Amino acid sequence: MYCSPWQRFRTPKYVRLIHWRPMEHKMRQDKLRECIDAAHFDAFLVSHLPNIRYLCGFTGSAGLLLVEERGSTFFSDSRYDTQAHEEVTGAKLVIGRKSPLELLGEFLRRRRKKASIGIEAEHFTLAEKKRLQKFLPSLVRLKDAHSTVERLRLVKDSEELARIREAVALGARLFERALEVLRAGVSETEVAAEMELLARRAGADKMSFETIIASGPRSALPHGRASAQPISPAGFVVCDFGVILAGYCSDQTRTVWVGAVSDDARRVYDAVRQAQQAAIDAVRPGVTAGEVDSTARKVLQKAGLAKHFTHSTGHGVGLEIHEAPRIAAGQKGVLEPGMVITIEPGVYFPGKWGVRIEDMLAVTPTGCEVLTPTGKDFIAV
Ligand code: ZN
Ligand code: ZN
């Protein structure tokens, strides 16, 4: 009997991940309240959607969450009435036929109470700030706050780690599918399409970024997303891909060789692999992100390749594909158990080819756990 490659994913195993336990939202909001207190705000306005999802579970595209000492209130427009009632926990709902910003403005104006409210300076736009101030000329002072919820999100709780593991496991299966179809002459987009179809059939919300299948000279582009170009008869193909499953992202890169193998290709691949392993070995609590980055760079320096490593070593992953901490030169942030990061050194020769190897890791109390299960031996197809 014909068995389609995605049939093995037709299992309800991801369904249980769809709903958070309400307890988690309450705990997260309480941690935010400690930050609100420390900053001497009366309230904190959360406008960045991934932060809203983290704190109360809402997955829609329009909403605001006001967190105060005595409780939280979530504002959204009537399109999200049913969804907000289903998803939001740990907050009262204010839903109306107006924008969330107008609803919030009315809510605060009705109270006639002075307040200083922290806003997410990286996300709340100047236009939104002006509009809100128009509603509340003298009552409310808006104070810029930076990365407040993002700092809470740095360390993942057990529910988040469970979701990330599932996303990484699904992501890794996409590479197996890629190897089944990746050949000289097949278009990059065709390989990407097979991977993306598998992801969606398995229940992925979407891809965590545009799938990168970059062959031949395009493999030297660190962000060479799949094009209609056929895969070159000889050279590296960088495959960098990830899924979002139940809200959480995966991110993985493997580089495969097409055609007759050259010594040069093997030498460069081995150097990148050693640099990646050295950085993984350096990951443990107490080490700075900058130290992990320089560990990878030193290995490539010894191989005479340091100047071809043109980006940072890694980044945090969670509800967003790129989040804190940045694993980059000079980053003083210290790694802590529960952080989830990538380690992804790469070496690029413009006009020729490039190599990158990327895994996702969880920092543990004694070191780290590599979450990505895929092997890293040199593969030639
Ligand atoms: Zn990646
Ligand atoms: Zn990455």
Side-chain angles (χ1 to χ4, degrees):
M1 192 182 84
Y2 173 74
C3 176
S4 71
W6 45 78
Q7 224 153 30
R8 57 196 157 199
F9 292 113
R10 284 199 186 142
T11 143
K13 97 178 196 189
Y14 298 122
V15 172
R16 70 186 162 77
L17 295 171
I18 292 169
H19 294 290
W20 286 109
R21 293 200 310 265
M23 270 305 289
E24 305 287 358
H25 295 141
K26 170 92 173 56
M27 272 164 44
R28 293 171 191 175
Q29 289 181 26
D30 283 345
K31 281 191 190 153
L32 177 59
R33 287 192 180 95
E34 287 169 23
C35 307
I36 298 172
D37 255 14
H40 305 291
F41 297 143
D42 298 305
F44 192 85
L45 179 62
V46 189
S47 56
H48 186 46
L49 289 167
N51 290 345
I52 290 176
R53 180 172 189 162
Y54 177 75
L55 292 165
C56 74
F58 179 70
T59 66
S61 65
L64 289 169
L65 180 69
L66 186 72
V67 179
E68 299 173 278
E69 185 58 47
R70 57 185 172 164
S72 302
T73 314
F74 176 75
F75 304 85
S76 190
D77 63 71
S78 41
R79 288 174 304 164
Y80 288 112
D81 196 349
T82 309
Q83 187 177 336
H85 278 89
E86 276 174 12
E87 291 180 341
V88 174
T89 60
K92 281 190 201 137
L93 298 181
V94 176
I95 312 283
R97 287 176 181 257
K98 290 178 178 168
S99 73
L101 201 70
E102 285 172 273
L103 294 169
L104 169 72
E106 285 177 3
F107 177 85
L108 292 170
R109 202 169 45 198
R110 267 200 305 274
R111 281 191 181 170
R112 301 169 182 276
K113 213 177 111 191
K114 282 201 170 180
S116 91
I117 299 181
I119 55 168
E120 300 190 289
E122 287 97 347
H123 308 294
F124 205 61
T125 67
L126 196 56
E128 287 170 329
K129 200 170 167 180
K130 282 183 176 164
R131 273 180 70 201
L132 189 54
Q133 276 165 337
K134 238 198 279 179
F135 281 110
L136 317 151
S138 60
L139 284 171
V140 167
R141 277 175 304 149
L142 300 175
K143 297 278 181 75
D144 286 353
H146 298 272
S147 304
T148 310
V149 184
E150 283 81 355
R151 274 199 298 275
L152 299 178
R153 284 172 45 197
L154 269 170
V155 170
K156 274 65 184 172
D157 57 39
S158 57
E159 277 281 340
E160 293 187 285
L161 283 170
R163 287 180 184 226
I164 289 169
R165 279 178 200 284
E166 301 277 4
V168 171
L170 174 56
R173 300 305 297 267
L174 304 193
F175 182 62
E176 294 172 18
R177 182 74 190 125
L179 287 180
E180 288 169 9
V181 289
L182 196 159
R183 296 287 178 275
V186 172
S187 73
E188 294 170 352
T189 45
E190 195 171 330
V191 178
E194 289 295 334
M195 298 165 80
E196 292 173 10
L197 183 63
L198 183 54
R200 290 293 271 169
R201 284 232 151 99
D205 306 341
K206 57 179 175 177
M207 307 309 287
S208 49
F209 54 92
E210 281 188 275
T211 304
I212 293 172
I213 302 289
S215 88
R218 296 190 73 255
S219 64
L221 309 170
H223 276 140
R225 63 169 189 241
S227 74
Q229 180 182 294
I231 285 168
S232 310
F236 279 117
V237 182
V238 171
C239 309
D240 188 351
F241 50 90
V243 297
I244 304 180
L245 183 66
Y248 281 80
C249 298
S250 79
D251 190 5
Q252 171 180 351
T253 307
R254 288 295 182 268
T255 302
V256 299
W257 179 266
V258 178
V261 186
S262 70
D263 288 348
D264 191 30
R266 269 191 198 279
R267 185 185 74 86
V268 171
Y269 185 90
D270 286 347
V272 174
R273 185 175 172 180
Q274 279 166 24
Q276 203 237 6
Q277 191 58 51
I280 291 171
D281 293 343
V283 171
R284 77 185 89 86
V287 114
T288 67
E291 285 171 278
V292 174
D293 180 88
S294 74
T295 304
R297 244 163 257 284
K298 271 183 210 152
V299 174
L300 291 172
Q301 200 160 17
K302 268 195 202 147
L305 296 166
K307 72 171 181 335
H308 299 285
F309 177 21
T310 48
H311 52 74
S312 55
T313 295
H315 53 89
V317 188
L319 281 169
E320 290 177 276
I321 183 63
H322 290 121
E323 52 182 59
R326 279 185 64 216
I327 313 298
Q331 289 292 311
K332 303 258 186 293
V334 169
L335 299 184
E336 287 176 50
M339 288 180 173
V340 173
I341 58 171
T342 69
I343 297 292
E344 53 177 306
V347 160
Y348 310 92
F349 299 92
K352 192 180 166 195
W353 40 248
V355 176
R356 179 166 66 257
I357 303 171
E358 175 181 29
D359 285 328
M360 269 173 69
L361 282 67
V363 183
T364 64
T366 53
C368 70
E369 180 193 341
V370 177
L371 302 174
T372 309
T374 314
K376 284 175 266 195
D377 287 345
F378 188 95
I379 293 175
V381 296

PDB file of all heavy atoms in Angstrom, residues 209 223 240 251-253 314-315 317 321-322 342-344 356 358, ligand 2:
ATOM      1  N   PHE A 209      10.451  30.705   9.537  1.00  0.00           N
ATOM      2  CA  PHE A 209      10.989  31.750   8.644  1.00  0.00           C
ATOM      3  C   PHE A 209      10.994  31.151   7.244  1.00  0.00           C
ATOM      4  O   PHE A 209      10.700  29.961   7.081  1.00  0.00           O
ATOM      5  CB  PHE A 209      12.413  32.175   9.066  1.00  0.00           C
ATOM      6  CG  PHE A 209      13.369  31.032   9.180  1.00  0.00           C
ATOM      7  CD1 PHE A 209      14.150  30.639   8.096  1.00  0.00           C
ATOM      8  CD2 PHE A 209      13.472  30.303  10.369  1.00  0.00           C
ATOM      9  CE1 PHE A 209      15.020  29.565   8.194  1.00  0.00           C
ATOM     10  CE2 PHE A 209      14.343  29.224  10.481  1.00  0.00           C
ATOM     11  CZ  PHE A 209      15.115  28.863   9.384  1.00  0.00           C
ATOM     12  N   HIS A 223      21.617  34.206   4.020  1.00  0.00           N
ATOM     13  CA  HIS A 223      20.156  34.121   4.025  1.00  0.00           C
ATOM     14  C   HIS A 223      19.594  33.886   2.628  1.00  0.00           C
ATOM     15  O   HIS A 223      18.683  34.584   2.177  1.00  0.00           O
ATOM     16  CB  HIS A 223      19.540  35.357   4.671  1.00  0.00           C
ATOM     17  CG  HIS A 223      19.486  35.238   6.158  1.00  0.00           C
ATOM     18  ND1 HIS A 223      19.745  36.269   7.008  1.00  0.00           N
ATOM     19  CD2 HIS A 223      19.224  34.175   6.947  1.00  0.00           C
ATOM     20  CE1 HIS A 223      19.656  35.848   8.256  1.00  0.00           C
ATOM     21  NE2 HIS A 223      19.336  34.577   8.245  1.00  0.00           N
ATOM     22  N   ASP A 240      18.464  25.621   5.727  1.00  0.00           N
ATOM     23  CA  ASP A 240      18.199  26.246   7.037  1.00  0.00           C
ATOM     24  C   ASP A 240      16.692  26.416   7.128  1.00  0.00           C
ATOM     25  O   ASP A 240      16.090  27.071   6.268  1.00  0.00           O
ATOM     26  CB  ASP A 240      18.936  27.589   7.114  1.00  0.00           C
ATOM     27  CG  ASP A 240      18.864  28.213   8.505  1.00  0.00           C
ATOM     28  OD1 ASP A 240      18.121  27.709   9.362  1.00  0.00           O
ATOM     29  OD2 ASP A 240      19.565  29.231   8.722  1.00  0.00           O
ATOM     30  N   ASP A 251      14.641  25.755  14.683  1.00  0.00           N
ATOM     31  CA  ASP A 251      15.618  26.376  13.780  1.00  0.00           C
ATOM     32  C   ASP A 251      16.788  25.409  13.658  1.00  0.00           C
ATOM     33  O   ASP A 251      17.363  25.016  14.669  1.00  0.00           O
ATOM     34  CB  ASP A 251      16.066  27.721  14.388  1.00  0.00           C
ATOM     35  CG  ASP A 251      16.899  28.543  13.416  1.00  0.00           C
ATOM     36  OD1 ASP A 251      17.060  28.121  12.251  1.00  0.00           O
ATOM     37  OD2 ASP A 251      17.393  29.606  13.838  1.00  0.00           O
ATOM     38  N   GLN A 252      17.097  25.034  12.436  1.00  0.00           N
ATOM     39  CA  GLN A 252      18.151  24.043  12.217  1.00  0.00           C
ATOM     40  C   GLN A 252      18.789  24.285  10.856  1.00  0.00           C
ATOM     41  O   GLN A 252      18.101  24.653   9.908  1.00  0.00           O
ATOM     42  CB  GLN A 252      17.525  22.639  12.243  1.00  0.00           C
ATOM     43  CG  GLN A 252      18.467  21.525  11.825  1.00  0.00           C
ATOM     44  CD  GLN A 252      17.815  20.153  11.855  1.00  0.00           C
ATOM     45  OE1 GLN A 252      16.691  19.988  12.348  1.00  0.00           O
ATOM     46  NE2 GLN A 252      18.493  19.156  11.319  1.00  0.00           N
ATOM     47  N   THR A 253      20.091  24.065  10.767  1.00  0.00           N
ATOM     48  CA  THR A 253      20.766  24.135   9.463  1.00  0.00           C
ATOM     49  C   THR A 253      21.623  22.892   9.268  1.00  0.00           C
ATOM     50  O   THR A 253      22.348  22.490  10.196  1.00  0.00           O
ATOM     51  CB  THR A 253      21.696  25.365   9.369  1.00  0.00           C
ATOM     52  OG1 THR A 253      20.965  26.535   9.692  1.00  0.00           O
ATOM     53  CG2 THR A 253      22.252  25.515   7.958  1.00  0.00           C
ATOM     54  N   GLY A 314      24.956  32.604  17.338  1.00  0.00           N
ATOM     55  CA  GLY A 314      23.623  32.045  17.595  1.00  0.00           C
ATOM     56  C   GLY A 314      22.679  33.059  18.206  1.00  0.00           C
ATOM     57  O   GLY A 314      22.998  34.237  18.327  1.00  0.00           O
ATOM     58  N   HIS A 315      21.513  32.559  18.601  1.00  0.00           N
ATOM     59  CA  HIS A 315      20.454  33.418  19.133  1.00  0.00           C
ATOM     60  C   HIS A 315      19.490  32.571  19.951  1.00  0.00           C
ATOM     61  O   HIS A 315      19.432  31.350  19.774  1.00  0.00           O
ATOM     62  CB  HIS A 315      19.708  34.105  17.981  1.00  0.00           C
ATOM     63  CG  HIS A 315      19.191  33.147  16.940  1.00  0.00           C
ATOM     64  ND1 HIS A 315      17.949  32.554  17.027  1.00  0.00           N
ATOM     65  CD2 HIS A 315      19.756  32.650  15.804  1.00  0.00           C
ATOM     66  CE1 HIS A 315      17.770  31.758  15.976  1.00  0.00           C
ATOM     67  NE2 HIS A 315      18.854  31.793  15.218  1.00  0.00           N
ATOM     68  N   VAL A 317      15.777  31.177  20.939  1.00  0.00           N
ATOM     69  CA  VAL A 317      14.598  30.763  20.170  1.00  0.00           C
ATOM     70  C   VAL A 317      13.484  30.428  21.156  1.00  0.00           C
ATOM     71  O   VAL A 317      13.743  29.873  22.223  1.00  0.00           O
ATOM     72  CB  VAL A 317      14.871  29.481  19.327  1.00  0.00           C
ATOM     73  CG1 VAL A 317      13.695  29.193  18.395  1.00  0.00           C
ATOM     74  CG2 VAL A 317      16.149  29.586  18.535  1.00  0.00           C
ATOM     75  N   ILE A 321      11.450  33.452  16.446  1.00  0.00           N
ATOM     76  CA  ILE A 321      12.607  32.739  15.882  1.00  0.00           C
ATOM     77  C   ILE A 321      13.917  33.385  16.320  1.00  0.00           C
ATOM     78  O   ILE A 321      14.905  32.696  16.534  1.00  0.00           O
ATOM     79  CB  ILE A 321      12.487  32.620  14.338  1.00  0.00           C
ATOM     80  CG1 ILE A 321      13.638  31.809  13.757  1.00  0.00           C
ATOM     81  CG2 ILE A 321      12.373  33.963  13.651  1.00  0.00           C
ATOM     82  CD1 ILE A 321      13.700  30.391  14.199  1.00  0.00           C
ATOM     83  N   HIS A 322      13.936  34.694  16.457  1.00  0.00           N
ATOM     84  CA  HIS A 322      15.122  35.352  16.990  1.00  0.00           C
ATOM     85  C   HIS A 322      14.718  36.087  18.254  1.00  0.00           C
ATOM     86  O   HIS A 322      13.952  37.044  18.195  1.00  0.00           O
ATOM     87  CB  HIS A 322      15.701  36.369  15.987  1.00  0.00           C
ATOM     88  CG  HIS A 322      16.307  35.712  14.792  1.00  0.00           C
ATOM     89  ND1 HIS A 322      15.886  35.954  13.507  1.00  0.00           N
ATOM     90  CD2 HIS A 322      17.304  34.791  14.686  1.00  0.00           C
ATOM     91  CE1 HIS A 322      16.593  35.211  12.669  1.00  0.00           C
ATOM     92  NE2 HIS A 322      17.454  34.496  13.349  1.00  0.00           N
ATOM     93  N   THR A 342      20.525  28.778  19.709  1.00  0.00           N
ATOM     94  CA  THR A 342      21.119  28.059  18.584  1.00  0.00           C
ATOM     95  C   THR A 342      22.630  28.267  18.638  1.00  0.00           C
ATOM     96  O   THR A 342      23.115  29.254  19.179  1.00  0.00           O
ATOM     97  CB  THR A 342      20.631  28.595  17.222  1.00  0.00           C
ATOM     98  OG1 THR A 342      21.170  29.902  17.012  1.00  0.00           O
ATOM     99  CG2 THR A 342      19.124  28.635  17.135  1.00  0.00           C
ATOM    100  N   ILE A 343      23.348  27.310  18.065  1.00  0.00           N
ATOM    101  CA  ILE A 343      24.782  27.479  17.794  1.00  0.00           C
ATOM    102  C   ILE A 343      24.946  27.211  16.311  1.00  0.00           C
ATOM    103  O   ILE A 343      24.649  26.100  15.843  1.00  0.00           O
ATOM    104  CB  ILE A 343      25.635  26.497  18.634  1.00  0.00           C
ATOM    105  CG1 ILE A 343      25.489  26.770  20.135  1.00  0.00           C
ATOM    106  CG2 ILE A 343      27.103  26.569  18.206  1.00  0.00           C
ATOM    107  CD1 ILE A 343      26.089  28.083  20.618  1.00  0.00           C
ATOM    108  N   GLU A 344      25.359  28.231  15.561  1.00  0.00           N
ATOM    109  CA  GLU A 344      25.324  28.118  14.100  1.00  0.00           C
ATOM    110  C   GLU A 344      26.451  28.863  13.384  1.00  0.00           C
ATOM    111  O   GLU A 344      26.197  29.777  12.601  1.00  0.00           O
ATOM    112  CB  GLU A 344      23.968  28.600  13.577  1.00  0.00           C
ATOM    113  CG  GLU A 344      23.550  29.989  14.053  1.00  0.00           C
ATOM    114  CD  GLU A 344      22.233  30.422  13.425  1.00  0.00           C
ATOM    115  OE1 GLU A 344      22.128  30.405  12.190  1.00  0.00           O
ATOM    116  OE2 GLU A 344      21.311  30.769  14.188  1.00  0.00           O
ATOM    117  N   ARG A 356      27.169  26.056   6.702  1.00  0.00           N
ATOM    118  CA  ARG A 356      26.702  26.429   8.052  1.00  0.00           C
ATOM    119  C   ARG A 356      26.105  25.179   8.703  1.00  0.00           C
ATOM    120  O   ARG A 356      25.466  24.373   8.024  1.00  0.00           O
ATOM    121  CB  ARG A 356      25.661  27.556   7.985  1.00  0.00           C
ATOM    122  CG  ARG A 356      25.124  27.953   9.351  1.00  0.00           C
ATOM    123  CD  ARG A 356      24.352  29.274   9.364  1.00  0.00           C
ATOM    124  NE  ARG A 356      23.108  29.254   8.620  1.00  0.00           N
ATOM    125  CZ  ARG A 356      22.923  29.779   7.428  1.00  0.00           C
ATOM    126  NH1 ARG A 356      23.920  30.383   6.797  1.00  0.00           N
ATOM    127  NH2 ARG A 356      21.757  29.722   6.822  1.00  0.00           N
ATOM    128  N   GLU A 358      23.831  24.219  12.205  1.00  0.00           N
ATOM    129  CA  GLU A 358      23.082  24.860  13.300  1.00  0.00           C
ATOM    130  C   GLU A 358      22.255  23.838  14.070  1.00  0.00           C
ATOM    131  O   GLU A 358      21.497  23.066  13.483  1.00  0.00           O
ATOM    132  CB  GLU A 358      22.130  25.914  12.721  1.00  0.00           C
ATOM    133  CG  GLU A 358      21.214  26.546  13.758  1.00  0.00           C
ATOM    134  CD  GLU A 358      20.258  27.577  13.163  1.00  0.00           C
ATOM    135  OE1 GLU A 358      19.906  27.437  11.981  1.00  0.00           O
ATOM    136  OE2 GLU A 358      19.874  28.504  13.886  1.00  0.00           O
TER     137      GLU A 358
HETATM  138 ZN    ZN B   2      19.236  30.467  13.644  1.00  0.00          ZN
END
